[in-house]
Amino acid sequence: MFNFDILKEAKKKSLDESDFFEKAESSYEEALKYIRNFQQTKIKKELELAAEKLFEVIKYKRKQAKAYIWLSYIFIILDDSKMAIKYLKIAEIFEPDFPKINELKILIEKTFSLSTSCEKGPVSELVGKIHTNAQVDPKKHSQLRAFFNRNKSA
């Protein structure tokens, strides 16, 4: 006789995965909204809210490269090269052929005058929140705004 409990469990698991996908996409869209708000207002709280939403995306879809790329973008704005590179490397681990990774690497090198080359290592545990007292360099912001405008679909 057929075991309907197994079928019910499989259906529930499928719905759970679908729900995770929807939550991840919703959080991603909200993050982009906060990033756009920051670009217009320069209010750093918008970056903090965007980062929180991007961390939610990662919670639901850990291998979502575009979330890590936007976290890298946020940390470039906040002048934190270490974190910017960290999240860019994670994006590259999950999706090495993602089209915007090399472009953002070049931007990081120009912005921080350093090399981003290093070995791919294991993904460390995600850490940190954005410090709202961080200073925003207008020159970096304009460079990143140009990057953002070229890559709205990233």
Side-chain angles (χ1 to χ4, degrees):
M1 182 169 235
F2 190 75
N3 186 344
F4 285 100
D5 290 336
I6 293 172
L7 183 61
K8 286 179 186 177
E9 189 64 33
K11 184 176 180 182
K12 183 180 184 288
K13 184 177 179 184
S14 174
L15 290 174
D16 289 346
E17 289 172 5
S18 174
D19 191 40
F20 277 178
F21 177 79
E22 289 176 19
K23 287 178 180 178
E25 287 303 307
S26 174
S27 294
Y28 181 75
E29 291 302 319
E30 288 182 57
L32 291 183
K33 179 187 76 167
Y34 289 125
I35 290 168
R36 287 183 196 108
N37 288 346
F38 167 77
Q39 290 177 328
Q40 293 174 358
T41 66
K42 311 292 187 288
I43 297 172
K44 289 176 276 192
K45 181 70 175 170
E46 298 289 339
L47 291 178
E48 183 178 344
L49 295 170
E52 287 174 6
K53 290 299 176 181
L54 291 167
F55 283 117
E56 282 180 25
V57 171
I58 292 166
K59 174 181 158 187
Y60 297 120
K61 288 188 75 183
R62 189 173 74 87
K63 296 181 179 183
Q64 185 86 351
K66 61 187 180 181
Y68 295 102
I69 287 172
W70 284 115
L71 283 169
S72 179
Y73 167 90
I74 289 170
F75 283 107
I76 293 169
I77 292 172
L78 296 175
D79 204 25
D80 188 336
S81 63
K82 183 177 178 181
M83 294 301 284
I85 293 167
K86 172 186 176 175
Y87 288 112
L88 188 60
K89 287 193 296 185
I90 294 170
E92 189 173 28
I93 289 167
F94 289 136
E95 208 169 324
D97 297 327
F98 196 85
K100 304 305 175 195
I101 288 176
N102 286 332
E103 191 175 342
L104 194 53
K105 276 184 182 178
I106 292 167
L107 185 58
I108 288 172
E109 288 174 6
K110 287 180 183 176
T111 303
F112 295 110
S113 301
L114 49 86
S115 173
T116 59
S117 62
C118 59
E119 294 179 28
K120 292 181 185 178
V123 178
S124 60
E125 187 175 323
L126 296 176
V127 294
K129 291 278 185 176
I130 294 176
H131 302 287
T132 54
N133 62 348
Q135 297 298 313
V136 176
D137 180 336
K139 183 179 177 185
K140 286 185 182 121
H141 181 263
S142 64
Q143 291 171 335
L144 289 163
R145 184 179 182 104
F147 174 82
F148 174 80
N149 288 333
R150 287 191 312 270
N151 301 297
K152 286 185 178 177
S153 63

